[in-house]
Amino acid sequence: MNTFDIKNLDLFYGDNHALKSINLAIPHKQVTAFIGPSGCGKSTLLRTLNRMNDLIAGVTIKGSVKFDDADIYADVDVRKLRTRCGMVFQKPNPFPMSIWENVAFGQKAQGLTDKKQLDAIVEEALRSAALWDEVKDRLHTHAFGLSGGQQQRLCIARTIAMKPDVILMDEPTSALDPIATAKIESLMENLRKEFTVVIVTHSMSQAKRIADKTAFFLMGELIEHGETQQIFNEPNDSRTRGYISGDFG
Ligand SMILES: Nc1ncnc2c1ncn2[C@@H]1O[C@H](COP(=O)(O)OP(=O)(O)OP(=O)(O)O)[C@@H](O)[C@H]1O
Ligand SMILES: [Mg+2]
């Protein structure tokens, strides 16, 4: 079963042909990693999955992206789509408010006011993001008082609190130290049970550790995709082999 089905997808920024005829299925409740050298289109493709490229002027998109069998570029409620496909960015970006308010924010914005229900959602999301034990006694202190790694787990909790189907992550650990990175990587084990996760990473070892499927891109083209094991141990394309052995990128 696939969460996304990408067919013949082309994306242009003005005349820059940034994604070239991409065909890719992203399986349900697995972790898919996008790898490839800088500028190959990983973030662009990730953003097409919840239509974040709509916010960029001069973008043209051809082809189709199906999410649960609905073409997201035909008729879909974009706000709903973005709620179902939450996003976590490279730099932790908590809102300037308390830890509790950060996690409750989206549900409150959607009209939930019951304090007990909100408390339960906040606790569950913080537990899923492996942050609860570290913050349970300081929920009403400012989020900026957390370390970078804690802030990133808070952003993951904020995303989870909206009960999405998909979590899109663009280099979520590249601004973090190795210990904070390891915490987020071990958290992926829980996330894959509940969500479809798509993660962009520059770290091959990270892709190897956490991804079920890996897709390798080069200059806007999808060169190869498959089981992570296969991509790293027996790549079919010499360009994939070159990249994973560190010849370029
Ligand atoms: N907002 C934008 N406006 C115009 N061109 C863009 C924009 N974002 C990306 N591009 C171009 O699209 C191509 C792919 O960029 P993208 O950011 O998707 O690559 P990436 O693989 O995520 O790179 P990195 O690993 O450095 O983050 C590049 O040529 C880039 O210059
Ligand atoms: Mg990028």
Side-chain angles (χ1 to χ4, degrees):
M1 194 162 130
N2 296 319
T3 299
F4 292 103
D5 244 310
I6 303 166
K7 289 255 163 70
N8 300 321
L9 183 75
D10 281 278
L11 183 146
F12 300 81
Y13 293 108
D15 351 311
N16 179 5
H17 197 175
L19 294 176
K20 299 173 186 163
S21 197
I22 305 291
N23 287 287
L24 178 65
I26 295 180
H28 190 58
K29 291 198 177 178
Q30 292 195 22
V31 178
T32 298
F34 291 174
I35 63 167
S38 187
C40 69
K42 305 178 295 295
S43 299
T44 300
L45 183 60
L46 193 76
R47 288 195 300 261
T48 62
L49 302 179
N50 67 351
R51 290 189 50 172
M52 290 294 273
N53 291 312
D54 289 14
L55 309 172
I56 303 170
V59 171
T60 321
I61 294 171
K62 292 180 192 151
S64 76
V65 178
K66 283 195 173 157
F67 172 54
D68 281 353
D69 288 330
D71 186 341
I72 64 169
Y73 287 94
D75 62 313
V76 82
D77 176 339
V78 176
R79 273 191 50 179
K80 232 185 230 163
L81 173 71
R82 294 198 185 126
T83 307
R84 292 185 64 194
C85 303
M87 205 159 198
V88 175
F89 298 89
Q90 185 167 10
K91 267 186 69 189
N93 58 349
F95 301 140
M97 49 186 77
S98 75
I99 295 167
W100 189 95
E101 288 289 349
N102 262 276
V103 184
F105 188 89
Q107 290 288 351
K108 280 175 80 173
Q110 288 201 340
L112 185 63
T113 50
D114 185 286
K115 171 86 168 47
K116 263 205 178 129
Q117 266 178 300
L118 285 168
D119 276 338
I121 289 170
V122 167
E123 175 170 346
E124 191 190 336
L126 286 168
R127 282 189 190 280
S128 301
L131 187 58
W132 175 251
D133 289 337
E134 288 162 67
V135 300
K136 61 178 190 293
D137 301 322
R138 54 193 279 206
L139 291 174
H140 297 286
T141 64
H142 205 282
F144 292 173
L146 297 172
S147 72
Q150 289 172 329
Q151 287 189 14
Q152 193 63 309
R153 279 178 283 144
L154 179 66
C155 294
I156 293 172
R158 188 175 66 192
T159 303
I160 292 173
M162 295 308 288
K163 306 191 185 298
D165 300 299
V166 181
I167 304 181
L168 306 173
M169 299 181 157
D170 197 348
E171 301 188 47
T173 62
S174 64
L176 305 180
D177 66 41
I179 292 171
T181 297
K183 282 203 174 141
I184 295 207
E185 286 186 7
S186 67
L187 152 69
M188 302 295 280
E189 281 305 312
N190 297 342
L191 298 187
R192 68 146 60 72
K193 290 179 198 139
E194 254 184 286
F195 308 102
T196 299
V197 178
V198 188
I199 181 170
V200 172
T201 179
H202 270 124
S203 160
M204 315 267 189
S205 50
Q206 179 165 75
K208 267 194 250 184
R209 282 192 296 268
I210 65 176
D212 302 290
K213 299 283 194 301
T214 295
F216 169 61
F217 299 85
L218 199 57
M219 293 188 293
E221 280 182 66
L222 172 59
I223 303 297
E224 185 170 354
H225 66 99
E227 296 290 330
T228 297
Q229 291 282 344
Q230 179 257 312
I231 296 293
F232 284 98
N233 298 332
E234 314 163 58
N236 291 318
D237 194 290
S238 59
R239 292 166 292 181
T240 315
R241 200 167 308 126
Y243 183 70
I244 61 176
S245 62
D247 289 352
F248 61 92

